[in-house]
Amino acid sequence: MSPTLPHKVIFDTDPGVDDAMALYFALAHPDIEVLGITTTFGNVTVQQAATNALYLCALAGRQIPVTQGVARPWVKAGEAPPAYIHGADGLGNLLQRIAVTDTLDPRSSAQFIVDMARAQPGQITLVAVGPLGNLSLALRLEPELPRLLKQVILMGGTVLEPGNVSPVAEANIWNDPHAADQVFTAGWPLTMVGLDVTHRLVLPVTMFQQIATHQRHRATDTLHTAVDFYAHFYGSRFEHVAAVHGCFGHDVLAFIYLVAPHLFQTQAGQIRVATDGLAQGQTILKRQAGIDYPQAGWDAAVPTSTVCMAVDASECSELFMATLLRDWLPA
Ligand code: BDR
Ligand code: CA
């Protein structure tokens, strides 16, 4: 194995059905080592997100530190979680759950990120797939964080694809736009995996059924049940998704970018987030480097990020399937 592998990752998440898919992809992939799971509000309350992270790890027989993070946006008022998308419990309204004895790491998510980055400088990739309040708080605790982390890969935002909570805003950015703008301007190597690519990856429920049949296990069965619920929401919104009874694999693509960046076409540019007004939550990409705009906010101090603009969705689908069909769960 290459000396840079496996990728050491902290997974910042609001599970969430596609967050669960992403977590299980990461646990099943031989080149990814999940060092910790930091949770945030978003798809569910932060308490439920932490409960779900512990639950998903317990189902998969894995002991990974889980922390509870921010409960609300940094500046704007919080909103009720979208129970109609992920279920009131975030995992498609599971009818029953097994008992879990593992408990939370007592640190806040932000403190955990800072501690881990200080302990292993330059080693850790932060994969963030929820609203960005934990990263924003971690930056305030440790301003050197951009030099202590290896990179940040986040699922959120959109450039050309219409938004999913407003005509221009994607949910994770909408949920905490001030935190997101801080994250995009912090100066770490950052890749945005947004709706421009995640709306290309449609995963049919039959894939999850096949995974659950291939390896009969509580973890694969729970994922299948949760995705079946989640697919009903996407089917109600998108005809082509309804046609295959499927869903978008949003958060999974952040991990697929980590292990297979060659499957993506990217563009470099400065990114800012509209924090207020009608465009709140919009991720604005400055696509022409040569233009010196007269408006404030686009000077050279704004770092350059990488944005995923296109993806080979069928290769991603195959990689997802092949990874989840590995022998990754205890008997
Ligand atoms: C993002 O919002 C959440 O609903 C999903 O988990 C994903 O992170 C997609 O816009
Ligand atoms: Ca998410």
Side-chain angles (χ1 to χ4, degrees):
M1 193 173 274
S2 133
T4 59
L5 293 176
H7 301 282
K8 294 179 177 195
V9 165
I10 295 175
F11 184 40
D12 191 58
T13 176
D14 57 337
V17 180
D18 58 320
D19 304 71
M21 283 179 213
L23 176 63
Y24 282 175
F25 175 85
L27 297 185
H29 200 288
D31 294 345
I32 300 175
E33 181 186 358
V34 181
L35 301 178
I37 302 174
T38 55
T39 60
T40 172
F41 78 94
N43 294 325
V44 284
T45 65
V46 69
Q47 289 85 358
Q48 187 66 41
T51 299
N52 289 349
L54 282 175
Y55 189 67
L56 292 164
C57 288
L59 282 182
R62 300 287 285 267
Q63 288 197 308
I64 296 170
V66 175
T67 61
Q68 188 170 305
V70 297
R72 58 190 62 83
W74 185 12
V75 176
K76 73 187 267 194
E79 294 173 0
Y84 57 98
I85 304 178
H86 296 267
D89 69 346
L91 295 177
N93 294 332
L94 298 177
L95 291 179
Q96 54 185 13
R97 293 190 178 216
I98 59 163
V100 173
T101 50
D102 295 322
T103 55
L104 292 174
D105 183 298
R107 288 171 283 184
S108 71
S109 291
Q111 191 62 55
F112 180 85
I113 292 167
V114 168
D115 289 351
M116 294 295 285
R118 283 178 181 155
Q120 302 186 50
Q123 302 289 304
I124 298 175
T125 294
L126 202 314
V127 175
V129 299
L132 294 164
N134 290 334
L135 270 71
S136 159
L137 186 55
L139 278 167
R140 280 171 273 150
L141 291 176
E142 174 51 281
E144 282 302 303
L145 195 60
R147 281 155 292 284
L148 294 173
L149 285 175
K150 184 175 180 186
Q151 61 173 332
V152 172
I153 300 173
L154 66 87
M155 189 280 131
T158 186
V159 177
L160 299 177
E161 182 75 1
N164 58 5
V165 290
S166 87
V168 293
E170 180 280 331
N172 288 339
I173 308 301
W174 166 267
N175 276 328
D176 202 341
H178 296 83
D181 193 49
Q182 192 191 14
V183 167
F184 280 114
T185 53
W188 30 32
L190 183 151
T191 302
M192 175 177 130
V193 182
L195 300 180
D196 300 289
V197 290
T198 69
H199 273 181
R200 306 283 93 79
L201 182 66
V202 178
L203 301 173
V205 176
T206 49
M207 271 177 75
F208 296 87
Q209 190 176 26
Q210 211 182 319
I211 290 163
T213 309
H214 175 80
Q215 196 172 7
R216 291 224 162 269
H217 195 281
R218 278 197 180 112
T220 55
D221 194 43
T222 300
L223 187 62
H224 175 213
T225 305
V227 171
D228 191 41
F229 178 95
Y230 187 57
H232 283 101
F233 167 75
Y234 283 104
S236 70
R237 289 271 173 107
F238 298 89
E239 259 178 44
H240 70 292
V241 183
V244 296
H245 185 41
C247 58
F248 296 129
H250 298 295
D251 293 348
V252 171
L253 279 178
F255 277 119
I256 294 186
Y257 180 82
L258 174 69
V259 295
H262 58 280
L263 299 180
F264 295 78
Q265 284 171 35
T266 60
Q267 184 163 358
Q270 297 168 307
I271 301 172
R272 297 299 308 265
V273 176
T275 51
D276 300 288
L278 207 52
Q280 189 182 66
Q282 180 174 17
T283 41
I284 307 161
L285 172 67
K286 181 185 174 197
R287 278 175 280 168
Q288 282 182 299
I291 299 184
D292 201 6
Y293 289 113
Q295 297 293 338
W298 296 103
D299 54 64
V302 179
T304 297
S305 298
T306 302
V307 183
C308 294
M309 297 301 298
V311 65
D312 185 333
S314 88
E315 284 288 324
C316 288
S317 227
E318 277 185 32
L319 176 59
F320 178 75
M321 193 63 177
T323 303
L324 270 291
L325 290 178
R326 290 171 59 87
D327 189 12
W328 63 283
L329 286 162

